[in-house]
Amino acid sequence: MASPANGDLRPEELAEGFAGRVLLPGDEAYGEARTIHNAMVDRRPAVIAQCEGPADVAAALAFGRSRGLEIAVRCGGHAVSGQALVDGGLVLDLRRMNGVRVDPDARVARVGGGALMRDLDRATQPHGLATTGGRASTTGIGGFALGGGSGWLERRFGLMCDNLLAADLVTADGRRVHASAQENPELFWALHGGGGNFGVVTEFTLGLHPLPGFSIALLLFEADRGPEVLRAYRDTMEAAPDEVGGAFIYLTAPPEEFVPPELVGQQAVGVLLTYAGDLESARPAFAPMLGLGHAAEVVTDIPYADLQCMLDDPPGFRNYWSAEYLSGFPDETVDAFTARAKDMILPSPSQHIVFALGGAVAAGDHEWPVPWRAAPWAVHPFAVWEDPADDERGRAWTKAVCADMAPWSIGAVYLNFIGDEGEDRAAAGRGAENLARLAAVKAEYDPANVFHFNHNIRPAA
């Protein structure tokens, strides 16, 4: 689509009868509205439509399409690729659509398409319920769920998409469509990993699980103990019950009260163990790691929603991430992974991460287009820095980590963890066996490929 001249936009035509807010360059709130998580992305939309509901979404889509505007959809704006923004086009900003309604008896939450993880977690926690969410409270549920949805609770409750019961969408031509296992089942299938290719989801219906208690062990070690600690973490997780989640992380030790002063600002090794239950129940599973002789610890019961907020990624930094999903984690992989830690940007919020999968992730429905669920391990180089002079260094480190892990990679990748790495990588995120089927669904619901600011699926001819 070609962007029209600004004089052709006539945004007042959209504003008339629009319940939300229409923002243009020069408006006081425009700067905040176009700010997203990754500071490397600096785009200036021609129009930002902050929608209040499905009618606003349909009106904004009609306005944008009639004027030939490129269209992007914003939920949390957390994606490293910056796909929530488009230069000179229209952004459908869903953040006002962030309501959460919980039915504790049915164990179901109905979640607005612009809600963040914290909106869901804070609404479900008083009922002792939860579902798998992201690893930061500021993540948008829309992109997270549609990309599969990997988080701390996944080994116990599966991916977020495994808990997706239904979705309400506005399609590119303004139709309102409901998708579930019974209604439009092919579209429902595609929403489990197909991303935002098929329409704008205005409400998700998510299944919830009892979570009356939650506990963690957060341990810090000196960086030179990395290989030893990672081997112990690997062995612990391979024997752990499904209630245990967590990660092994190289990071810059933060200036927190529990961190020894001599470690603050230095590279350290962190191990986070999470447990879907209380600390007393968790201790046997935590015991192998607690016995290693760590430099700092937080071992406690904690509300799940509080943990989610505690680990929020800092906004305003430059980001470049990627991931590899591995068939195993032998000692050779440990050595390759830990050796690359020396090349991180330090000090910085960067993290060099290993996640253990398995459990309910591996046991989930393999019909969904999320082929990476089969991997028992994931490596996630998460480069975050402040100085633009470090841009090449941050990108190079991330790419080098992935290259190091290539001998053990299964090829499939979680698309929410990567930016624009080309069509082959996007295809690897859905599985070759699913591509034709996804393209057919795309052709039915978005034949003009209006929604292409994403890991795009081209409509079948």
Side-chain angles (χ1 to χ4, degrees), residues 8 11 48 55 66 73 117 152 178 220 223 270 288-289 299 315 324 346 350 370 373 440 460:
D8 297 332
I48 300 174
S66 69
V73 181
M117 215 57 63
W152 303 125
H178 182 76
L220 290 184
M289 296 305 303
V299 181
E324 293 294 338
L346 295 166
S350 297
V370 283
R373 74 156 72 240

Side-chain angles (χ1 to χ4, degrees), residues 180-375:
S180 68
Q182 295 76 36
E183 190 173 348
N184 298 304
E186 197 68 1
L187 173 60
F188 184 63
W189 170 83
L191 296 177
H192 292 71
N197 272 280
F198 313 103
V200 182
V201 177
T202 56
E203 185 172 84
F204 296 88
T205 303
L206 300 171
L208 304 176
H209 304 268
L211 189 68
F214 191 75
S215 51
I216 64 167
L218 175 60
L219 312 175
L220 290 184
F221 303 81
E222 293 82 2
D224 61 5
R225 296 188 61 193
E228 168 204 355
V229 175
L230 181 50
R231 286 182 176 89
Y233 171 75
R234 174 197 63 194
D235 296 345
T236 296
M237 291 306 300
E238 287 180 346
D242 293 353
E243 286 82 1
V244 181
F248 171 98
I249 312 168
Y250 279 98
L251 73 168
T252 301
E256 299 290 346
E257 186 175 326
F258 73 97
V259 179
E262 64 273 15
L263 203 57
V264 171
Q266 304 300 310
Q267 188 177 58
V269 162
V271 171
L272 173 66
L273 298 176
T274 66
Y275 191 87
D278 61 36
L279 183 57
E280 182 179 355
S281 302
R283 284 196 180 277
F286 290 174
M289 296 305 303
L290 291 172
L292 287 182
H294 43 274
E297 70 169 43
V298 176
V299 181
T300 186
D301 288 298
I302 183 173
Y304 170 67
D306 289 2
L307 172 71
Q308 293 285 73
C309 294
M310 188 173 81
L311 299 175
D312 283 349
D313 306 322
F317 284 86
R318 306 173 78 78
N319 286 251
Y320 190 83
W321 323 330
S322 193
E324 293 294 338
Y325 281 70
L326 311 184
S327 58
F329 220 93
D331 287 348
E332 296 86 351
T333 318
V334 171
D335 293 340
F337 178 87
T338 55
R340 189 58 67 179
K342 69 181 187 305
D343 298 325
M344 293 173 66
I345 297 173
L346 295 166
S348 79
S350 297
Q351 298 179 18
H352 190 26
I353 310 172
V354 176
F355 295 119
L357 303 180
V361 178
D365 192 337
H366 284 252
E367 184 189 0
W368 306 133
V370 283
W372 46 271
R373 74 156 72 240

